[in-house]
Amino acid sequence: MSWGTKIVASVALMLLAALIALIFEGADRVIQARIQRRLGPPLSQPFYDLVKLFAKESLLPSDALPWLFSGGPVFAAASALTIFLYIPIGSLPPVLAGGGDFLLALFLMFLSSFALILGALAGASPYGEIDAKKELDLIASCSVPLSVIASSLAWFAYRQGLPGAPFSLETFVAKPVWSVAGWSGIMGLIILAAAFLSLIPALADRVQRNIFGGSSRHFSGRTLLLSRLARNFRTLAFCSVFVSLFFPGSMGRFLDLRELALFSVDFLFFWVKVFLVQTVAVTWGGAFLGRFKNSRLSSFYGVAVTGVALAGLLLLFLDARL
Amino acid sequence: MDVLTLPLNPSGSLEPLAITVSLDGDRIVDARIRHGALHRGIEEMALHWNLFQVLPLAERICGFCSLSNALTFARAVETIAGIVVPPRARYLRTLFLELERISSHFLWLATACHIAGHEALMMAVLSLRERVLDMLEGLTGKRSNCGVAAFGGTRVNLDDADIKALEEMIAFYRRELPPLQEVLVEGPLLRFRLQGVGVLPKEVAVRHGVVGPVARASGLYVDLRWSSPYEAYGDFDVQPRQVSDLMGRSRGDAFDRMVLRIMELRQSLEIIETLLQGIPGGNVLAVKKDRRLAALLRDAEGRALVSVEGPRGESLQRVTLCRGKIALSSWTLRSATYVNASSWPLLLRGEELSDVALIINSTDPCIACTERLFPLRPSPVPEMAPLRLSSAEDGEAAKEVAP
């Protein structure tokens, strides 16, 4: 692929991902409203919000560091969107195939979170300081189980001889990891998938923690719009990575399709899977789980989810040994 | 210790309050509450109006304790004027007070679920509350500020169809409350979030003089319906509910306050059920003609201190009337929240910042009722007016105390 094609494909994919993120956000709100026996907003509400916030003035606090306060949300949204360039969408290879792996995707996700935290901190508000501390607390507690999951999967892929680089998402898409696991391996993979699923709301900033509004309350107008978009893009990116790692199955091959039909069906099937994952991890979780205390949330991810991830690793280890 | 002091603006607690907290990390080391954001000058307005106009005004102090406030005012005026409320009206007042308690407790439960982040539960609770609001609408024509209270009785009477509808409502709640209780009390959702938060030990509750469900959840055996029964409460066995009866022990935390309110919902249903079985016949107004009532009120003189056990606790009013005009000389109100608010800094100390709204809400605050205790000008109190205290038995001559 030439550089020109790569740039065009990258822009097209990022625009498509942004569109899908907004549609999924609308669907998420509609489903949550139905669960809560409310009428709820229409599916197109995120688009109305986008237009409204885009037209509004962005207020800059007097003591703020302007470039960081305004640039943080931009950087957060951009880095979250960049993740899609490294994810294989259905049967299509990543736009930047070979340019990055699972670890780079995780790095970009953390970068997106940190950019938003830095933006909130640059507002020079004491509330921003508190919110930033909470965010950092949560990200730190989530990073431990996430690294256990990532290294477990990579080690298992390498050990079982999956073709390709162990940390590459293409490796997991080319041959599903389930196909090389025995019974204890399958159990281990289920546990790791559950642990990863539980991490999605926290890392995508979709878990309810603060009645005051969280870090996005410091922004207004376009910066608020971008901070919200960054959150939506991160959610979609996490769900996409989850699908690539654990459910890379191809519907096109199952239906014995060829070329364009195969790519089209798998492309659509991929987004359906992402939607289902988002519905389970974010929508249902948001509807039925309450607002957490920050300390309890950190200990939940830092201790309980890490423990579960280690149990998954142990089962994978047993499977590889046996 | 690096302490950060910051104001949580009125939206911080979902109530129009100015809260300033000092934080060590995420932990609250001190909290100060400042009232005054919702003072509307109702007392001042009342001094310029006649008593018949003040009664609906008293009802509009707050939408959720509207009957409690109006009834306390009406009872104070009746005590001064020596008006004896007919038995049927006493029963009807009791009925509406309990319907108001059900409506208020359901609303509190919904707010607690909302603050705890359980929106689906909140909507479920609000849909249950609709039934009692529909009932109030059916009986009075309004869902809140129902206009039930009148001097010397009630404006509303019941017929057989109303009683049947009330029985159906009780049957509905008997069917729907156990599953709700199972989710809220026995389930992990709210237990996980509320247990151990905002603990108010019994001895501290006594020291701060807290009232209502907050006091009862801390293990205090206080309830005006039991200790000094008014209206028809003397005819029933209204024992203050205690969390330890259901849970085995009481810790005085936010969870216990929720459990207690659910127990009180059941108690209110029991009271209404018993009340409907023995509701006496007769008039619902002691003085039917307005002109005669106006003459009685014009001749009334004195002060009365009357309290009613509202949904949030003791609602107390001091009313002064002077002879020759159908108007107030002075009017002072003290709501349950005004008393309970003294415990908020204590409840907040040592808790996390994210618990502020949860803790303050657990005491079921009503700022609209609270900010009524600011005298705007010295009121012309008669020199030798006797202070009358509300009697234990309605209709009995009020006790006179030398000023």
Side-chain angles (χ1 to χ4, degrees):
Chain A
M1 208 188 282
S2 69
W3 274 106
T5 321
K6 274 187 181 177
I7 288 168
V8 171
S10 300
V11 171
L13 184 63
M14 284 159 102
L15 284 175
L16 184 79
L19 185 74
I20 289 172
L22 288 173
I23 294 170
F24 283 9
E25 161 79 4
D28 169 57
R29 289 166 73 172
V30 168
I31 295 170
Q32 280 218 23
R34 294 293 180 274
I35 293 170
Q36 293 163 5
R37 299 192 226 173
R38 288 189 285 116
L39 194 59
L43 192 68
S44 52
Q45 188 61 44
F47 295 95
Y48 296 134
D49 292 347
L50 187 143
V51 172
K52 182 189 80 178
L53 288 173
F54 189 77
K56 282 204 166 193
E57 184 192 1
S58 303
L59 297 173
L60 187 71
S62 54
D63 295 333
L65 201 59
W67 65 270
L68 192 55
F69 185 78
S70 306
V74 178
F75 203 68
S79 50
L81 268 185
T82 312
I83 299 167
F84 291 97
L85 306 183
Y86 300 99
I87 300 174
I89 312 283
S91 299
L92 291 168
V95 175
L96 300 179
D101 54 13
F102 177 33
L103 290 182
L104 181 67
L106 291 185
F107 169 76
L108 286 169
M109 283 181 215
F110 284 125
L111 196 64
S112 170
S113 302
F114 284 128
L116 220 52
I117 291 169
L118 285 173
L121 273 175
S125 150
Y127 303 102
E129 197 183 310
I130 292 168
D131 289 334
K133 186 185 162 295
K134 284 183 177 180
E135 288 285 339
L136 285 172
D137 240 24
L138 188 64
I139 290 174
S141 57
C142 287
S143 62
V144 183
L146 197 61
S147 51
V148 172
I149 294 168
S151 45
S152 305
L153 287 172
W155 176 81
F156 192 66
Y158 171 74
R159 178 80 194 200
Q160 300 300 90
L162 285 185
F167 277 105
S168 170
L169 285 172
E170 289 162 270
T171 306
F172 290 90
V173 172
K175 191 171 183 184
V177 73
W178 306 92
S179 62
V180 291
W183 279 109
S184 63
I186 288 172
M187 289 298 293
L189 287 171
I190 290 172
I191 287 172
L192 288 177
F196 195 103
L197 213 56
S198 74
L199 285 164
I200 292 175
L203 290 168
D205 193 19
R206 299 294 290 260
V207 65
Q208 297 186 76
R209 281 175 297 147
N210 202 327
I211 191 125
F212 307 123
S215 55
S216 61
R217 71 171 148 160
H218 308 285
F219 303 111
S220 57
R222 288 178 198 181
T223 47
L224 176 62
L225 169 69
L226 284 163
S227 73
R228 284 191 185 174
L229 285 177
R231 200 179 74 144
N232 290 344
F233 297 160
R234 245 182 7 238
T235 310
L236 194 71
F238 264 109
C239 295
S240 304
V241 169
F242 179 85
V243 167
S244 299
L245 285 173
F246 293 101
F247 298 109
S250 162
M251 179 63 84
R253 289 203 184 93
F254 179 74
L255 297 174
D256 202 19
L257 300 174
R258 294 278 181 274
E259 295 177 350
L260 189 62
L262 171 75
F263 289 130
S264 307
V265 168
D266 278 354
F267 186 81
L268 287 174
F269 187 52
F270 174 81
W271 291 118
V272 169
K273 286 186 285 184
V274 172
F275 177 71
L276 290 175
V277 169
Q278 184 171 327
T279 306
V280 171
V282 179
T283 312
W284 284 77
F288 293 112
L289 294 177
R291 184 173 283 110
F292 289 93
K293 261 180 149 174
N294 208 56
S295 55
R296 283 187 187 167
L297 202 60
S298 299
S299 59
F300 170 72
Y301 284 118
V303 180
V305 179
T306 305
V308 168
L310 284 171
L313 172 62
L314 188 70
L315 286 167
L316 290 186
F317 179 76
L318 285 174
D319 191 62
R321 281 281 171 197
L322 293 172
Chain B
M1 188 170 65
D2 187 18
V3 175
L4 174 71
T5 301
L6 78 164
L8 301 180
N9 55 15
S11 66
S13 67
L14 302 180
E15 287 286 350
L17 276 173
I19 307 168
T20 308
V21 290
S22 301
L23 293 167
D24 175 22
D26 204 19
R27 194 82 39 201
I28 298 167
V29 290
D30 195 18
R32 274 160 291 148
I33 318 278
R34 190 163 54 83
H35 291 276
L38 201 63
H39 187 61
R40 293 171 290 170
I42 281 181
E43 304 91 315
E44 172 69 13
M45 202 189 293
L47 296 182
H48 301 288
W49 290 6
N50 71 44
L51 292 176
F52 296 102
Q53 290 170 315
V54 176
L55 188 60
L57 187 68
E59 199 169 57
R60 277 150 185 79
I61 290 171
C62 157
F64 305 113
C65 335
S66 58
L67 181 59
S68 303
N69 287 327
L71 209 56
T72 314
F73 178 70
R75 291 185 69 240
V77 172
E78 286 159 5
T79 308
I80 297 168
I83 299 169
V84 178
V85 178
R88 185 173 177 83
R90 289 196 290 120
Y91 269 68
L92 290 182
R93 284 179 171 191
T94 309
L95 166 73
F96 282 102
L97 280 170
E98 291 310 314
L99 288 175
E100 183 179 72
R101 196 180 313 280
I102 292 172
S103 160
S104 175
H105 280 5
F106 268 128
L107 184 76
W108 178 84
L109 271 175
T111 317
C113 292
H114 165 64
I115 295 178
H118 294 287
E119 305 296 330
L121 266 178
M122 179 193 80
M123 296 305 289
V125 173
L126 282 179
S127 67
L128 282 183
R129 182 173 176 254
E130 280 301 298
R131 187 66 191 250
V132 72
L133 292 180
D134 288 346
M135 194 71 242
L136 283 170
E137 191 180 7
L139 295 177
T140 67
K142 295 177 188 170
R143 287 155 70 86
S144 66
N145 294 342
C146 297
V148 170
F151 296 122
T154 60
R155 288 183 193 281
V156 180
N157 205 347
L158 295 187
D159 57 22
D160 289 345
D162 294 330
I163 291 174
K164 192 164 178 293
L166 280 162
E167 284 167 349
E168 282 170 7
M169 185 201 76
I170 292 168
F172 169 79
Y173 281 128
R174 288 220 187 284
R175 202 170 53 244
E176 297 294 332
L177 266 180
L180 182 75
Q181 181 173 326
E182 200 174 312
V183 173
L184 295 178
V185 179
E186 287 145 39
L189 293 175
L190 286 175
R191 184 188 290 266
F192 175 71
R193 189 66 186 87
L194 300 181
Q195 239 170 19
V197 172
V199 178
L200 185 69
K202 190 175 179 177
E203 54 278 12
V204 183
V206 172
R207 203 161 63 235
H208 282 262
V210 297
V211 293
V214 181
R216 292 193 282 279
S218 291
L220 295 184
Y221 213 68
V222 288
D223 193 331
L224 285 175
R225 296 175 296 172
W226 165 75
S227 58
S228 49
Y230 49 93
E231 305 302 352
Y233 286 115
D235 299 350
F236 316 117
D237 180 28
V238 185
Q239 295 291 324
R241 287 289 186 262
Q242 294 289 298
V243 178
S244 52
D245 295 341
L246 185 72
M247 310 296 289
R249 63 172 183 166
S250 99
R251 291 198 276 195
D253 56 13
F255 183 73
D256 280 359
R257 280 170 223 136
M258 184 194 71
V259 172
L260 186 100
R261 287 193 180 93
I262 293 173
M263 291 172 79
E264 290 195 349
L265 279 174
R266 285 167 167 263
Q267 184 188 32
S268 292
L269 291 175
E270 283 164 20
I271 291 172
I272 294 173
E273 198 169 34
T274 319
L275 182 148
L276 290 176
Q277 284 163 6
I279 192 163
N283 291 330
V284 293
L285 280 172
V287 187
K288 281 188 179 171
K289 293 192 174 170
D290 287 350
R291 195 174 293 173
R292 201 173 143 236
L293 181 63
L296 265 174
L297 297 178
R298 190 178 292 113
D299 291 342
E301 185 177 29
R303 270 185 291 181
L305 195 67
V306 171
S307 51
V308 159
E309 183 74 26
R312 294 166 172 85
E314 183 187 6
S315 165
L316 185 138
Q317 291 186 21
R318 194 199 68 165
V319 171
T320 311
L321 300 180
C322 59
R323 198 186 301 271
K325 57 175 186 174
I326 313 171
L328 289 164
S329 285
S330 75
W331 186 29
T332 314
L333 304 93
R334 196 207 66 183
S335 72
T337 307
Y338 187 84
V339 189
N340 291 343
S342 71
S343 66
W344 290 347
L346 192 95
L347 290 175
L348 293 175
R349 245 169 252 153
E351 300 289 352
E352 283 185 28
L353 183 64
S354 50
D355 287 338
V356 171
L358 204 64
I359 291 170
I360 289 184
N361 179 68
S362 74
T363 64
D364 198 2
C366 179
I367 307 305
C369 291
T370 304
E371 300 192 350
R372 307 271 74 78
L373 205 77
F374 306 98
L376 295 175
R377 66 174 189 197
S379 55
V381 180
E383 278 297 305
M384 292 300 289
L387 177 66
R388 293 169 181 238
L389 298 175
S390 66
S391 58
E393 291 282 326
D394 260 5
E396 206 179 86
K399 294 170 195 167
E400 290 200 3
V401 181

